[in-house]
Amino acid sequence: MRQDYGFHACLDRMAARIDNAELSYGDVPDGRGWGQFLDGPKEHPQVGPYGVCSGIIVRSLAGREHKGREQAALHVLFAMYRRHEAGQPTERRCFTQNLRLAYLCLALRLAGASAADVARRAQEELLARRLPNGSWGDWWINDQNYDQTPSVFVTSIVLLCLLLFQNDKGGGQAQTLRQSAEYLARELIEVPEWSPLPAAAALAAPERVNEIGPPGVMRLESKQVRPKMVLSPFSPD
């Protein structure tokens, strides 16, 4: 109970800092968001996908109401993604990173915009970037130019962003996402040692996939994928 209270208290403090760091965004009417660094100098706001998506995600987890701030942030995210689709260099460069696109999908859902056409197109693009084995690499520019190296961490975060707080149990992509979870399970079994962050993400994603359909597909057993974790030499532990 004490740990749970401490976690929510921490989220609340983070959300309060985010509320106090809101910034306007360029030429987007009524658009406001956050930079990647909350304590950055005001004259260099650097409002971008990471900051805006993180602000929405933290505020939602802290129980903040989805009203004015979320609507202003949605104006920014919609503009960013449409400019990405139009090939504008800055936004195109931002969303070549698969993690940024995944955070966008989660943030749009948490801000109450899951039914928006932009949210649908962003999720379709993210799913289209999957590698043949069900994983995702770090980046994707186009069908001929993309990262062909599977990433356990990126795949785990993408899966979580597609599935967390999802009301329709996988968005009609249950079998597709299960293939990705099976890739993670194989990696966790075959690789003997993992650092804590990738291991935690990779364990969480298959557990979430187990909650979706289709019926009759064999569940992934978490006891099969308990990796040995190795602390970083920079860890205080």
Short mmCIF file of all heavy atoms in Angstrom, two decimals, residues 59-100:
data_model
loop_
_atom_site.label_atom_id
_atom_site.label_comp_id
_atom_site.label_asym_id
_atom_site.label_seq_id
_atom_site.Cartn_x
_atom_site.Cartn_y
_atom_site.Cartn_z
N ARG A 59 0.18 12.74 -17.55
CA ARG A 59 -1.02 13.37 -17.00
C ARG A 59 -2.18 12.37 -16.91
O ARG A 59 -2.95 12.38 -15.96
CB ARG A 59 -1.44 14.56 -17.85
CG ARG A 59 -0.46 15.73 -17.79
CD ARG A 59 -1.02 16.99 -18.46
NE ARG A 59 -1.94 17.68 -17.56
CZ ARG A 59 -3.24 17.65 -17.66
NH1 ARG A 59 -3.83 16.94 -18.62
NH2 ARG A 59 -4.00 18.31 -16.82
N SER A 60 -2.29 11.51 -17.91
CA SER A 60 -3.36 10.51 -17.88
C SER A 60 -3.15 9.51 -16.74
O SER A 60 -4.09 9.20 -16.00
CB SER A 60 -3.43 9.77 -19.22
OG SER A 60 -4.41 8.75 -19.19
N LEU A 61 -1.93 9.01 -16.58
CA LEU A 61 -1.64 8.06 -15.51
C LEU A 61 -1.84 8.69 -14.14
O LEU A 61 -2.18 8.00 -13.17
CB LEU A 61 -0.22 7.54 -15.65
CG LEU A 61 0.07 6.67 -16.87
CD1 LEU A 61 1.55 6.33 -16.95
CD2 LEU A 61 -0.78 5.41 -16.86
N ALA A 62 -1.65 10.00 -14.04
CA ALA A 62 -1.84 10.70 -12.77
C ALA A 62 -3.29 11.06 -12.51
O ALA A 62 -3.61 11.61 -11.46
CB ALA A 62 -0.98 11.97 -12.74
N GLY A 63 -4.17 10.76 -13.46
CA GLY A 63 -5.59 11.01 -13.26
C GLY A 63 -6.03 12.43 -13.56
O GLY A 63 -7.11 12.85 -13.14
N ARG A 64 -5.23 13.18 -14.30
CA ARG A 64 -5.62 14.54 -14.67
C ARG A 64 -6.79 14.49 -15.67
O ARG A 64 -6.88 13.58 -16.49
CB ARG A 64 -4.45 15.29 -15.30
CG ARG A 64 -3.31 15.59 -14.36
CD ARG A 64 -3.74 16.60 -13.29
NE ARG A 64 -2.63 17.29 -12.69
CZ ARG A 64 -1.96 16.87 -11.61
NH1 ARG A 64 -2.31 15.74 -11.03
NH2 ARG A 64 -0.96 17.56 -11.12
N GLU A 65 -7.66 15.49 -15.62
CA GLU A 65 -8.81 15.52 -16.51
C GLU A 65 -8.37 15.77 -17.95
O GLU A 65 -7.45 16.54 -18.21
CB GLU A 65 -9.79 16.60 -16.07
CG GLU A 65 -10.48 16.31 -14.75
CD GLU A 65 -11.54 17.34 -14.42
OE1 GLU A 65 -11.66 18.32 -15.19
OE2 GLU A 65 -12.24 17.16 -13.41
N HIS A 66 -9.07 15.12 -18.88
CA HIS A 66 -8.77 15.27 -20.31
C HIS A 66 -9.60 16.42 -20.86
O HIS A 66 -10.63 16.20 -21.50
CB HIS A 66 -9.09 13.98 -21.06
CG HIS A 66 -8.16 12.87 -20.72
ND1 HIS A 66 -8.25 11.63 -21.28
CD2 HIS A 66 -7.10 12.80 -19.89
CE1 HIS A 66 -7.30 10.83 -20.80
NE2 HIS A 66 -6.59 11.54 -19.96
N LYS A 67 -9.15 17.62 -20.62
CA LYS A 67 -9.91 18.77 -21.12
C LYS A 67 -9.00 19.69 -21.92
O LYS A 67 -8.45 19.30 -22.93
CB LYS A 67 -10.59 19.49 -19.96
CG LYS A 67 -11.72 18.67 -19.33
CD LYS A 67 -12.47 19.45 -18.28
CE LYS A 67 -13.61 18.60 -17.69
NZ LYS A 67 -14.34 19.32 -16.62
N GLY A 68 -8.82 20.91 -21.44
CA GLY A 68 -8.11 21.92 -22.23
C GLY A 68 -6.71 21.53 -22.65
O GLY A 68 -6.34 21.69 -23.81
N ARG A 69 -5.90 21.04 -21.71
CA ARG A 69 -4.51 20.75 -22.05
C ARG A 69 -4.41 19.63 -23.08
O ARG A 69 -3.58 19.67 -23.98
CB ARG A 69 -3.72 20.41 -20.79
CG ARG A 69 -3.32 21.63 -19.97
CD ARG A 69 -2.32 21.28 -18.90
NE ARG A 69 -1.76 22.48 -18.29
CZ ARG A 69 -2.27 23.07 -17.22
NH1 ARG A 69 -3.34 22.57 -16.64
NH2 ARG A 69 -1.72 24.16 -16.73
N GLU A 70 -5.22 18.59 -22.93
CA GLU A 70 -5.17 17.50 -23.90
C GLU A 70 -5.62 17.96 -25.29
O GLU A 70 -5.04 17.57 -26.30
CB GLU A 70 -6.03 16.32 -23.44
CG GLU A 70 -5.34 15.33 -22.54
CD GLU A 70 -4.98 15.93 -21.18
OE1 GLU A 70 -5.66 16.90 -20.77
OE2 GLU A 70 -4.03 15.46 -20.55
N GLN A 71 -6.65 18.79 -25.33
CA GLN A 71 -7.11 19.29 -26.63
C GLN A 71 -6.03 20.12 -27.31
O GLN A 71 -5.79 19.99 -28.52
CB GLN A 71 -8.39 20.10 -26.46
CG GLN A 71 -9.61 19.26 -26.12
CD GLN A 71 -9.87 18.18 -27.15
OE1 GLN A 71 -9.88 18.45 -28.36
NE2 GLN A 71 -10.08 16.96 -26.70
N ALA A 72 -5.36 20.98 -26.54
CA ALA A 72 -4.29 21.80 -27.11
C ALA A 72 -3.13 20.92 -27.58
O ALA A 72 -2.53 21.18 -28.63
CB ALA A 72 -3.81 22.81 -26.07
N ALA A 73 -2.81 19.88 -26.81
CA ALA A 73 -1.74 18.96 -27.20
C ALA A 73 -2.12 18.15 -28.44
O ALA A 73 -1.27 17.86 -29.29
CB ALA A 73 -1.39 18.03 -26.04
N LEU A 74 -3.39 17.78 -28.54
CA LEU A 74 -3.85 17.04 -29.72
C LEU A 74 -3.70 17.88 -30.99
O LEU A 74 -3.34 17.35 -32.05
CB LEU A 74 -5.31 16.61 -29.55
CG LEU A 74 -5.54 15.41 -28.64
CD1 LEU A 74 -7.03 15.15 -28.46
CD2 LEU A 74 -4.86 14.16 -29.18
N HIS A 75 -3.97 19.17 -30.90
CA HIS A 75 -3.76 20.04 -32.07
C HIS A 75 -2.32 19.93 -32.55
O HIS A 75 -2.04 19.88 -33.76
CB HIS A 75 -4.08 21.49 -31.72
CG HIS A 75 -5.54 21.78 -31.56
ND1 HIS A 75 -6.48 21.44 -32.51
CD2 HIS A 75 -6.23 22.39 -30.56
CE1 HIS A 75 -7.69 21.81 -32.11
NE2 HIS A 75 -7.56 22.38 -30.92
N VAL A 76 -1.38 19.89 -31.61
CA VAL A 76 0.04 19.80 -31.95
C VAL A 76 0.35 18.44 -32.59
O VAL A 76 1.00 18.36 -33.64
CB VAL A 76 0.91 20.02 -30.70
CG1 VAL A 76 2.38 19.75 -31.02
CG2 VAL A 76 0.73 21.43 -30.17
N LEU A 77 -0.11 17.36 -31.96
CA LEU A 77 0.20 16.02 -32.48
C LEU A 77 -0.43 15.79 -33.85
O LEU A 77 0.21 15.19 -34.74
CB LEU A 77 -0.27 14.96 -31.49
CG LEU A 77 0.49 14.89 -30.16
CD1 LEU A 77 -0.08 13.79 -29.28
CD2 LEU A 77 1.98 14.67 -30.38
N PHE A 78 -1.66 16.25 -34.04
CA PHE A 78 -2.30 16.10 -35.35
C PHE A 78 -1.48 16.84 -36.41
O PHE A 78 -1.25 16.32 -37.51
CB PHE A 78 -3.72 16.65 -35.33
CG PHE A 78 -4.71 15.79 -34.59
CD1 PHE A 78 -5.99 16.24 -34.34
CD2 PHE A 78 -4.38 14.51 -34.15
CE1 PHE A 78 -6.91 15.45 -33.67
CE2 PHE A 78 -5.28 13.71 -33.49
CZ PHE A 78 -6.56 14.19 -33.25
N ALA A 79 -1.07 18.07 -36.09
CA ALA A 79 -0.28 18.85 -37.06
C ALA A 79 1.05 18.16 -37.35
O ALA A 79 1.48 18.09 -38.52
CB ALA A 79 -0.05 20.26 -36.52
N MET A 80 1.72 17.67 -36.32
CA MET A 80 3.01 17.00 -36.51
C MET A 80 2.88 15.79 -37.42
O MET A 80 3.68 15.59 -38.35
CB MET A 80 3.59 16.57 -35.17
CG MET A 80 4.15 17.70 -34.32
SD MET A 80 4.77 17.04 -32.74
CE MET A 80 5.50 18.53 -32.04
N TYR A 81 1.86 14.98 -37.17
CA TYR A 81 1.75 13.75 -37.96
C TYR A 81 1.34 14.05 -39.40
O TYR A 81 1.84 13.42 -40.34
CB TYR A 81 0.76 12.78 -37.31
CG TYR A 81 0.77 11.44 -38.01
CD1 TYR A 81 1.84 10.57 -37.85
CD2 TYR A 81 -0.25 11.06 -38.87
CE1 TYR A 81 1.90 9.36 -38.52
CE2 TYR A 81 -0.22 9.85 -39.54
CZ TYR A 81 0.86 9.00 -39.36
OH TYR A 81 0.90 7.80 -40.03
N ARG A 82 0.46 15.02 -39.58
CA ARG A 82 0.07 15.37 -40.95
C ARG A 82 1.24 15.92 -41.74
O ARG A 82 1.39 15.66 -42.94
CB ARG A 82 -1.09 16.36 -40.91
CG ARG A 82 -2.42 15.72 -40.50
CD ARG A 82 -3.48 16.74 -40.22
NE ARG A 82 -4.74 16.11 -39.84
CZ ARG A 82 -5.61 16.63 -38.98
NH1 ARG A 82 -5.35 17.82 -38.41
NH2 ARG A 82 -6.73 16.01 -38.69
N ARG A 83 2.10 16.70 -41.07
CA ARG A 83 3.30 17.20 -41.74
C ARG A 83 4.26 16.06 -42.04
O ARG A 83 4.95 16.08 -43.06
CB ARG A 83 3.95 18.27 -40.87
CG ARG A 83 3.13 19.56 -40.78
CD ARG A 83 3.67 20.53 -39.76
NE ARG A 83 2.85 21.73 -39.70
CZ ARG A 83 3.04 22.73 -38.86
NH1 ARG A 83 4.04 22.67 -37.98
NH2 ARG A 83 2.25 23.78 -38.88
N HIS A 84 4.33 15.10 -41.16
CA HIS A 84 5.13 13.89 -41.42
C HIS A 84 4.62 13.19 -42.67
O HIS A 84 5.42 12.79 -43.55
CB HIS A 84 5.06 12.97 -40.21
CG HIS A 84 5.32 11.53 -40.51
ND1 HIS A 84 6.57 11.03 -40.82
CD2 HIS A 84 4.48 10.46 -40.53
CE1 HIS A 84 6.49 9.73 -41.03
NE2 HIS A 84 5.23 9.36 -40.86
N GLU A 85 3.31 13.02 -42.77
CA GLU A 85 2.73 12.36 -43.94
C GLU A 85 3.00 13.15 -45.22
O GLU A 85 3.14 12.56 -46.30
CB GLU A 85 1.23 12.19 -43.75
CG GLU A 85 0.85 11.16 -42.69
CD GLU A 85 -0.65 11.00 -42.57
OE1 GLU A 85 -1.35 12.01 -42.40
OE2 GLU A 85 -1.13 9.85 -42.65
N ALA A 86 3.05 14.47 -45.09
CA ALA A 86 3.28 15.32 -46.25
C ALA A 86 4.76 15.39 -46.64
O ALA A 86 5.11 16.01 -47.64
CB ALA A 86 2.76 16.73 -45.97
N GLY A 87 5.62 14.76 -45.83
CA GLY A 87 7.04 14.70 -46.15
C GLY A 87 7.84 15.91 -45.71
O GLY A 87 8.97 16.10 -46.18
N GLN A 88 7.29 16.73 -44.81
CA GLN A 88 8.06 17.88 -44.34
C GLN A 88 9.25 17.39 -43.52
O GLN A 88 9.11 16.52 -42.66
CB GLN A 88 7.16 18.81 -43.52
CG GLN A 88 6.06 19.44 -44.37
CD GLN A 88 5.36 20.57 -43.65
OE1 GLN A 88 5.89 21.17 -42.73
NE2 GLN A 88 4.14 20.86 -44.10
N PRO A 89 10.44 17.92 -43.79
CA PRO A 89 11.69 17.32 -43.27
C PRO A 89 11.75 17.14 -41.76
O PRO A 89 12.13 16.07 -41.28
CB PRO A 89 12.77 18.30 -43.75
CG PRO A 89 12.18 18.96 -44.94
CD PRO A 89 10.72 19.07 -44.67
N THR A 90 11.38 18.16 -40.98
CA THR A 90 11.52 18.06 -39.52
C THR A 90 10.64 16.97 -38.96
O THR A 90 11.09 16.09 -38.21
CB THR A 90 11.19 19.40 -38.85
OG1 THR A 90 12.11 20.39 -39.31
CG2 THR A 90 11.30 19.28 -37.33
N GLU A 91 9.35 17.01 -39.31
CA GLU A 91 8.43 16.01 -38.79
C GLU A 91 8.71 14.63 -39.38
O GLU A 91 8.55 13.61 -38.70
CB GLU A 91 6.98 16.43 -39.08
CG GLU A 91 6.48 17.57 -38.22
CD GLU A 91 6.99 18.93 -38.68
OE1 GLU A 91 7.57 19.00 -39.79
OE2 GLU A 91 6.81 19.91 -37.93
N ARG A 92 9.12 14.60 -40.64
CA ARG A 92 9.45 13.32 -41.26
C ARG A 92 10.61 12.66 -40.52
O ARG A 92 10.60 11.44 -40.26
CB ARG A 92 9.82 13.54 -42.73
CG ARG A 92 10.02 12.25 -43.52
CD ARG A 92 8.73 11.50 -43.71
NE ARG A 92 8.89 10.27 -44.44
CZ ARG A 92 7.96 9.33 -44.53
NH1 ARG A 92 6.80 9.49 -43.94
NH2 ARG A 92 8.18 8.23 -45.21
N ARG A 93 11.60 13.47 -40.16
CA ARG A 93 12.76 12.94 -39.43
C ARG A 93 12.35 12.45 -38.04
O ARG A 93 12.82 11.41 -37.57
CB ARG A 93 13.83 14.02 -39.31
CG ARG A 93 15.12 13.54 -38.66
CD ARG A 93 16.20 14.58 -38.75
NE ARG A 93 15.86 15.81 -38.04
CZ ARG A 93 15.53 16.96 -38.63
NH1 ARG A 93 15.51 17.04 -39.95
NH2 ARG A 93 15.23 18.02 -37.92
N CYS A 94 11.45 13.17 -37.38
CA CYS A 94 11.03 12.78 -36.03
C CYS A 94 10.37 11.40 -36.04
O CYS A 94 10.69 10.54 -35.22
CB CYS A 94 10.04 13.81 -35.47
SG CYS A 94 10.82 15.33 -34.90
N PHE A 95 9.45 11.21 -36.96
CA PHE A 95 8.66 9.98 -36.94
C PHE A 95 9.30 8.83 -37.70
O PHE A 95 8.67 7.78 -37.86
CB PHE A 95 7.24 10.26 -37.44
CG PHE A 95 6.40 11.02 -36.46
CD1 PHE A 95 6.00 12.31 -36.76
CD2 PHE A 95 6.05 10.47 -35.24
CE1 PHE A 95 5.23 13.03 -35.85
CE2 PHE A 95 5.29 11.17 -34.34
CZ PHE A 95 4.88 12.47 -34.63
N THR A 96 10.54 8.99 -38.17
CA THR A 96 11.24 7.81 -38.68
C THR A 96 11.59 6.87 -37.52
O THR A 96 11.76 5.67 -37.73
CB THR A 96 12.53 8.18 -39.42
OG1 THR A 96 13.40 8.89 -38.54
CG2 THR A 96 12.23 9.02 -40.64
N GLN A 97 11.69 7.40 -36.30
CA GLN A 97 11.96 6.58 -35.12
C GLN A 97 10.70 5.82 -34.72
O GLN A 97 9.66 6.42 -34.46
CB GLN A 97 12.44 7.45 -33.97
CG GLN A 97 13.74 8.20 -34.24
CD GLN A 97 14.90 7.24 -34.46
OE1 GLN A 97 15.04 6.25 -33.75
NE2 GLN A 97 15.74 7.54 -35.44
N ASN A 98 10.79 4.50 -34.67
CA ASN A 98 9.60 3.71 -34.37
C ASN A 98 9.06 3.97 -32.96
O ASN A 98 7.86 3.90 -32.73
CB ASN A 98 9.91 2.22 -34.54
CG ASN A 98 10.07 1.84 -36.00
OD1 ASN A 98 9.46 2.45 -36.88
ND2 ASN A 98 10.90 0.84 -36.28
N LEU A 99 9.94 4.27 -32.02
CA LEU A 99 9.47 4.57 -30.67
C LEU A 99 8.62 5.82 -30.64
O LEU A 99 7.60 5.87 -29.95
CB LEU A 99 10.66 4.72 -29.71
CG LEU A 99 11.34 3.43 -29.24
CD1 LEU A 99 12.48 3.76 -28.30
CD2 LEU A 99 10.34 2.50 -28.56
N ARG A 100 9.01 6.86 -31.38
CA ARG A 100 8.20 8.08 -31.40
C ARG A 100 6.81 7.81 -31.96
O ARG A 100 5.81 8.32 -31.45
CB ARG A 100 8.89 9.16 -32.23
CG ARG A 100 10.04 9.85 -31.53
CD ARG A 100 10.38 11.16 -32.25
NE ARG A 100 11.49 11.85 -31.61
CZ ARG A 100 12.72 11.90 -32.10
NH1 ARG A 100 13.01 11.26 -33.21
NH2 ARG A 100 13.66 12.58 -31.47
#
